[in-house]
Amino acid sequence: MKIISHRGASGYAPENTISAFELALKMGSKAFEFDVHMTKDKKLVVHHDYDLALTAGNHAKIADLDYAALKKINVGNKFGFPVERVPLLEEVVNLISPKAEWINFELKNDLNVYPGLEEAVISFVRQRPGLSEKALFSSFDYGTLKRLRALDKLIKLGYLGHRLATLLLLPAIVRAKAVGAVNFHISLRIAVALNVSLLRKAGFSVCVYTVNKKTDALRMQKIGVDGIFSNYPDILQK
Ligand code: G3P
Ligand code: MG
């Protein structure tokens, strides 16, 4: 079972920051997940939310800031880390890609708030030799997945189940197949043996978010999930 550093080692360092990715690497991570946004001046950056309220106590939206302004905001005052900046996608990928075997680019683009995000991310990956093979693109937003697929027939896509229940799994499988997803990501809440085996029988690799307790990680391993997203890359060693 793949242990995927979720927003870096975000249980120990401010999420989605260079420190979080450095720490994940130090812990031996080979699989990574992070969230991608775009600034007003079209720079690709890594951050979870569309605004900076939770990481910086600042309600500014990434879409409204040029990168130069975004860079001035401290998003890392946590776990004793005094200062962290929202990193460029490029900085994160340059750091992790020598060691990474699997990289999940989660695109946050609800309502197409960042027009052109999908093109920009695909072109970013294409420009870096060897990166496409390691890359999986996922999104909660079906329009984003459709735009990604329209741009490239070959990229690997992950369908991210949002507020799914067992009953809603079948229609979601149909949607995931329609867009050519190879991965299906579900929340821990519905990660039970029945659902996981249904998804695996449908041909998907199944990854579960967010698994932060060792007992849950061991249960996921037992029911045959392919990967877990965890804020603690050392979860099985704890
Ligand atoms: O990609 C898995 C997981 O990160 C999805 O949820 O909200 O943590 O981005 P979220
Ligand atoms: Mg995410």
Side-chain angles (χ1 to χ4, degrees):
M1 182 175 74
K2 226 196 283 291
I3 311 290
I4 306 152
S5 293
H6 182 245
R7 314 181 194 172
S10 59
Y12 300 110
E15 63 181 44
N16 279 328
T17 64
I18 291 299
S19 290
F21 292 105
E22 279 174 348
L23 192 55
L25 284 167
K26 215 181 270 178
M27 294 175 139
S29 265
K30 302 250 184 294
F32 299 84
E33 185 267 1
F34 47 75
D35 312 285
V36 184
H37 294 253
M38 194 158 72
T39 60
K40 193 176 172 195
D41 55 344
K42 312 280 182 211
K43 298 273 190 275
L44 297 171
V45 293
V46 171
H47 190 260
H48 182 265
D49 288 349
Y50 290 86
D51 66 31
L52 304 162
L54 290 182
T55 50
N58 180 327
H59 289 269
K61 290 193 174 81
I62 293 175
D64 295 336
L65 295 172
D66 282 339
Y67 183 64
L70 178 61
K71 216 166 70 168
K72 291 191 183 133
I73 300 171
N74 180 5
V75 292
N77 198 352
K78 210 177 168 188
F79 302 113
F81 288 72
V83 180
E84 293 289 330
R85 306 298 174 194
V86 172
L88 290 165
L89 177 64
E90 190 178 8
E91 295 172 316
V92 173
V93 169
N94 287 349
L95 175 68
I96 64 174
S97 52
K99 288 280 159 61
E101 292 170 359
W102 192 86
I103 303 178
N104 182 183
F105 297 73
E106 186 192 335
L107 278 70
K108 300 284 194 197
N109 198 13
D110 292 3
L111 304 172
N112 203 10
V113 62
Y114 306 119
L117 178 73
E118 297 80 10
E119 286 94 327
V121 174
I122 287 182
S123 130
F124 173 92
V125 171
R126 281 183 184 156
Q127 280 165 31
R128 289 168 171 77
L131 189 54
S132 308
E133 290 73 15
K134 300 175 181 180
L136 178 93
F137 305 91
S138 67
S139 185
F140 281 117
D141 180 64
Y142 197 61
T144 301
L145 291 181
K146 286 202 289 190
R147 285 190 292 277
L148 285 165
R149 178 55 76 219
L151 288 161
D152 192 321
K153 286 202 213 48
L154 298 177
I155 51 168
K156 291 185 280 271
L157 292 183
Y159 184 94
L160 253 170
H162 189 42
R163 300 214 180 110
L164 274 184
T166 304
L167 264 180
L168 299 173
L169 217 47
L170 285 177
I173 287 173
V174 172
R175 281 157 69 81
K177 287 278 171 196
V179 82
V182 290
N183 273 47
F184 200 113
H185 300 167
I186 56 173
S187 86
L188 181 60
R189 189 175 48 79
I190 62 156
V192 294
L194 174 74
N195 294 341
V196 170
S197 88
L198 195 69
L199 291 167
R200 296 198 85 239
K201 279 190 192 127
F204 297 107
S205 285
V206 180
C207 299
V208 176
Y209 62 91
T210 306
V211 181
N212 287 330
K213 286 193 197 133
K214 187 174 182 177
T215 47
D216 287 326
L218 293 171
R219 185 166 60 84
M220 293 303 104
Q221 201 162 38
K222 203 163 156 200
I223 64 175
V225 315
D226 298 276
I228 56 168
F229 297 95
S230 182
N231 299 348
Y232 302 94
D234 59 347
I235 188 162
L236 290 179
Q237 277 93 61
K238 285 208 284 183

